[in-house]
Structure formats: structure tokens, C-alpha cells
Amino acid sequence: MELAHYSDYAVRLVNTEEPARNKDSLTSVDAVRALFGVSVQMARRVTDGDVTRFRNVRGRLRAVFEAADGGDHVLAVDLLNSLLMEFPVSPQISGHVAVEEHGGRGAHGEHREHGGPDWHIHLADHPSNASAGYAAIACFGLAFHLTEHGPDRLGLCQAPPCRNAYLDTSTNRSRRYCSDRCATRANVAAYRARKRLEAEESARSGRSAEEAQESHALSER
């Protein structure tokens, strides 16, 4: 698993809450387990106590995104460093033997001698509890993304009332929305706002023209 993939853990957790809509989907053990995706082993360790712990970490991760989105990159890094110190990762080297059709190459196309394993860094399960394990992975993944691409690549959706977190991977750092749906909704709202403004300006221009004509007519009497 590529290290960049771990940053998705942070986004998934932050987006279980929609503060502006007063919605929170992280209210049960099953909801917490769903965050783990394919990591079934860690998901099985979730208990009722993890629900509160996950929500606490979620708030702190959102604060990282808020700071980065607001341009306070030093604060974003400080907040993330605090989480990294509290939830350290346990890296391990893991290997998978490539299937024959790779023709002597690894899963990513690199040449390997004698068909050996495809070695890569893997983050091991945390020994204490499920929430600590998830937090360690999420924070490490977010730190990897931040240092690889820059803190300005951590954003919050600009389509009100949505404030979902996202990771900007665009080539020109132009992403502003968490999804195509929010982008479309924002564009439609902007279009309607422009049309309303044009209509108001047209109405004002019409009234001004009528007033000018009336004034001219009165002056000729």
C-alpha cells in the first residue's frame, strides 16, 4: 500500500461530520468500523469507547484542515505534529510475491531479480486500541501528503453549507470543492446570482432612462 493512500483515512474521518448542517454520522460502533475499509482486523477491535475517541481525533484533524485552508500553514503543521507525537506509527517492511504475468516486474512495473517479493513500507496495527491505530495511520498519511505537496493542498469545500475536507491533487492547485456535485451546485448558484444581478442592473438602467426622458420633457415645457 502506498503511503499517500493513508491520507484518505484522515479525510474519511473528518467528513463524518457536517457542522454547518448539524449532521454527524459517527454515532455507533458500526459507523466507526465502516471507516476502516478493507482493514478488517483493526475494525474488529472497535468498542463503544472508540466512538468518543474517534470524534475527539476528528475535531483535531478538522482543525488542521481549517488552519491550512485559512492560510495559517504554521498552525496546521503544529496541530498535526501534536497529533503525530500522541499517535506514533509503527512502520514495517512488507512484501508480496508478484504473480507470473508481471514478467519479472513488481506491482508498480519495477524490475525485480529472481521474482522476489515486492517490498514496501506498511503501517502496523497499533497495540493499544482501534482509535489510536486509526489516528496514527490518518495523521501519518496527512503528514506525508502535506510534506510531499504542501499545506495549501489541504482544503475545505467552498460550496456552502458544505465544508467537507479534501486533498488537492490537481496540477495547478485549483481545486475548491470536495466533489463534482458540490462544484456543479456552486457553479449553478453563481450563474443564478449573475443573472439576478444583470436583471437588477437592467431594471435600474431602464428606470434611469425613463427618468431622464421625463426630466427632458419637463424642461421643454
Side-chain angles (χ1 to χ4, degrees):
M1 183 182 296
E2 296 182 1
L3 297 181
H5 171 78
Y6 289 119
S7 59
D8 292 338
Y9 279 65
V11 174
R12 286 205 301 269
L13 178 54
V14 171
N15 291 345
T16 58
E17 182 182 30
E18 298 180 70
R21 293 189 173 107
N22 197 28
K23 291 183 179 180
D24 186 351
S25 62
L26 199 61
T27 58
S28 66
V29 169
D30 287 338
V32 171
R33 284 175 176 161
L35 288 170
F36 286 91
V38 296
S39 185
V40 178
Q41 183 175 353
M42 275 203 298
R44 287 174 178 166
R45 296 164 54 193
V46 176
T47 66
D48 289 333
D50 282 307
V51 177
T52 300
R53 288 192 287 265
F54 265 78
R55 294 172 81 170
N56 176 267
V57 173
R58 178 184 64 188
R60 295 170 67 184
L61 282 172
R62 175 170 283 278
V64 175
F65 277 92
E66 288 175 344
D69 187 68
D72 195 341
H73 297 163
V74 174
L75 176 59
V77 170
D78 286 345
L79 292 172
L80 188 51
N81 273 335
S82 177
L83 282 162
L84 288 169
M85 291 180 65
E86 186 173 344
F87 302 105
V89 296
S90 301
Q92 291 182 344
I93 298 175
S94 179
H96 302 291
V97 177
V99 294
E100 292 182 1
E101 54 263 31
H102 280 306
R105 293 184 178 274
H108 302 292
E110 74 280 8
H111 180 72
R112 296 175 298 108
E113 296 181 358
H114 310 300
D118 178 15
W119 300 112
H120 62 279
I121 293 293
H122 173 78
L123 301 186
D125 290 351
H126 201 281
S128 57
N129 55 64
S131 54
Y134 190 100
I137 290 174
C139 294
F140 179 84
L142 197 57
F144 181 85
H145 188 94
L146 186 150
T147 54
E148 187 76 7
H149 304 288
D152 57 332
R153 293 300 189 117
L154 278 60
L156 294 173
C157 187
Q158 299 299 303
C162 181
R163 293 293 283 168
N164 275 352
Y166 64 82
L167 299 172
D168 185 2
T169 56
S170 64
T171 56
N172 57 355
R173 301 174 183 265
S174 60
R175 185 171 178 179
R176 298 176 57 209
Y177 308 105
C178 68
S179 64
D180 290 340
R181 179 181 179 182
C182 277
T184 300
R185 183 161 55 84
N187 289 334
V188 169
Y191 173 79
R192 290 174 177 171
R194 286 196 303 270
K195 287 300 182 182
R196 284 195 300 269
L197 182 59
E198 290 173 1
E200 291 170 359
E201 290 178 346
S202 177
R204 283 196 297 268
S205 297
R207 286 195 299 269
S208 297
E210 290 176 1
E211 291 170 356
Q213 289 176 357
E214 291 175 1
S215 177
H216 180 70
L218 289 173
S219 65
E220 290 183 341
R221 289 179 183 178

